[in-house]
Amino acid sequence: MKILVTGASGFVAQHLVPTLATEHDVIALTHDPERVPAGGNFESVVVDLRDPTASFPKVDAVVHLAQANVPFPDGARDLFAVNTTATVALLDHLRRVGGTHFILASSASVYGFGERPWTEEDVPAAGDFYSATKLAAERFVRAHEGFFSTT
């Protein structure tokens, strides 16, 4: 299976990409190639997900881990571009190339904040800009459930 992993310079992807690459053809998409693990059996591609004209390779699956890590309100456009617009672009790309799986890493912040443990059955209460973009991304993924497997 050919898998595109976004956010390849992030903490989770630095562990996931080399592991996936032991059994799959992995493309590690990043904006910071210096932070992608070296020596793995995978291809590293530099793409800025804030760019609405970004193109993606033909793949069977997408693991979308990328997120904008910028402050609000000055970073609002980047937050929206990476967390929301890029999610839609990746979903559309996967649908057009006949992909079969889309996995989104969202955020617990979509449930709000509090002292009790949260579950995915809780009603979202995204109260800030970041969590609103992540909740929108979740809903866009859900809207694509009929085209491929989504998580």
Side-chain angles (χ1 to χ4, degrees):
M1 178 178 286
K2 192 170 194 174
I3 304 171
L4 175 68
V5 178
T6 70
S9 60
F11 177 76
V12 172
Q14 288 184 14
H15 299 281
L16 179 64
V17 166
T19 302
L20 282 176
T22 64
E23 296 185 28
H24 301 282
D25 183 10
V26 176
I27 300 170
L29 191 141
T30 183
H31 71 281
D32 185 358
E34 300 297 318
R35 291 180 42 210
V36 175
N41 186 24
F42 55 87
E43 178 184 357
S44 183
V45 176
V46 177
V47 173
D48 185 347
L49 289 176
R50 296 171 301 175
D51 180 357
T53 65
S55 62
F56 310 107
K58 183 176 180 184
V59 293
D60 303 303
V62 172
V63 178
H64 187 26
L65 304 177
Q67 65 170 345
N69 188 14
V70 295
F72 179 81
D74 293 338
R77 287 181 184 223
D78 289 345
L79 283 166
F80 191 82
V82 174
N83 298 352
T84 307
T85 305
T87 302
V88 172
L90 288 160
L91 287 161
D92 186 55
H93 172 72
L94 190 65
R95 180 188 57 80
R96 285 186 287 108
V97 300
T100 58
H101 298 80
F102 191 97
I103 298 170
L104 171 71
S106 185
S107 170
S109 68
V110 301
Y111 299 108
F113 299 96
E115 296 300 317
R116 70 179 181 85
W118 302 98
T119 70
E120 290 187 7
E121 287 73 38
D122 286 324
V123 176
D128 61 21
F129 194 86
Y130 172 81
S131 60
T133 64
K134 296 304 270 185
L135 182 58
E138 286 185 14
R139 291 183 172 161
F140 294 141
V141 170
R142 184 171 295 141
H144 283 78
E145 286 177 340
F147 299 102
F148 37 73
S149 169
T150 61
T151 302

